[in-house]
Amino acid sequence: MGLAAAGFDWDGGKLEKCRRHGVEIADIEAMFQRLLWVIPAPVHSRREDRLRAIGTDPKGRHIFAVFTLRGRHGETRVRPISARYMHTEEIQHYEAQKTQAEKASRSEER
């Protein structure tokens, strides 16, 4: 699942925050083309809607990101706030949740 956005709206401070977590711009931007999961993150900000996402970089490593969508010149852009590579336990938890959701979906179809 990709995200329908015209591009990215980077903030220098947020970019450095992502780099401190070991994630580069190219990997974050690629991750948004390989989204696996997106949900709202309402408790993080009262000023703007934020979203949480899990995706993979070109090497298949799982990335967890928090972002918002910003309108610029009539286009929607992704504004990453934070991104980091996921720990093994987080990936296992995600995979277990995904499996449960898939089973529930198949049961509902019957």
Side-chain angles (χ1 to χ4, degrees):
M1 157 189 12
L3 190 65
F8 292 85
D9 179 20
W10 283 100
D11 169 281
K14 303 297 185 197
L15 174 57
E16 286 307 313
K17 182 179 181 181
C18 296
R19 284 186 173 149
R20 283 193 303 271
H21 288 294
V23 187
E24 294 295 328
I25 288 178
D27 291 335
I28 296 167
E29 290 184 357
M31 170 243 177
F32 279 95
Q33 300 304 313
R34 297 172 175 84
L35 284 174
L36 304 171
W37 178 79
V38 176
I39 65 164
V43 297
H44 289 289
S45 176
R46 294 175 194 223
R47 295 180 298 151
E48 64 187 0
D49 292 333
R50 291 192 178 180
L51 302 157
R52 294 179 285 178
I54 293 174
T56 58
D57 71 4
K59 294 179 184 173
R61 297 176 292 185
H62 285 76
I63 296 174
F64 174 82
V66 176
F67 67 100
T68 191
L69 297 173
R70 294 272 174 94
R72 290 274 167 127
H73 309 294
E75 297 178 328
T76 300
R77 297 192 176 269
V78 173
R79 184 175 184 98
I81 296 165
S82 179
R84 65 175 175 77
Y85 288 106
M86 294 172 61
H87 303 286
T88 302
E89 298 83 20
E90 293 171 315
I91 295 167
Q92 291 170 344
H93 178 75
Y94 162 74
E95 293 294 337
Q97 294 296 314
K98 182 176 86 172
T99 299
Q100 285 180 345
E102 289 169 351
K103 285 180 183 177
S105 178
R106 285 193 297 270
S107 293
E108 290 175 5
E109 290 174 359
R110 292 181 194 163

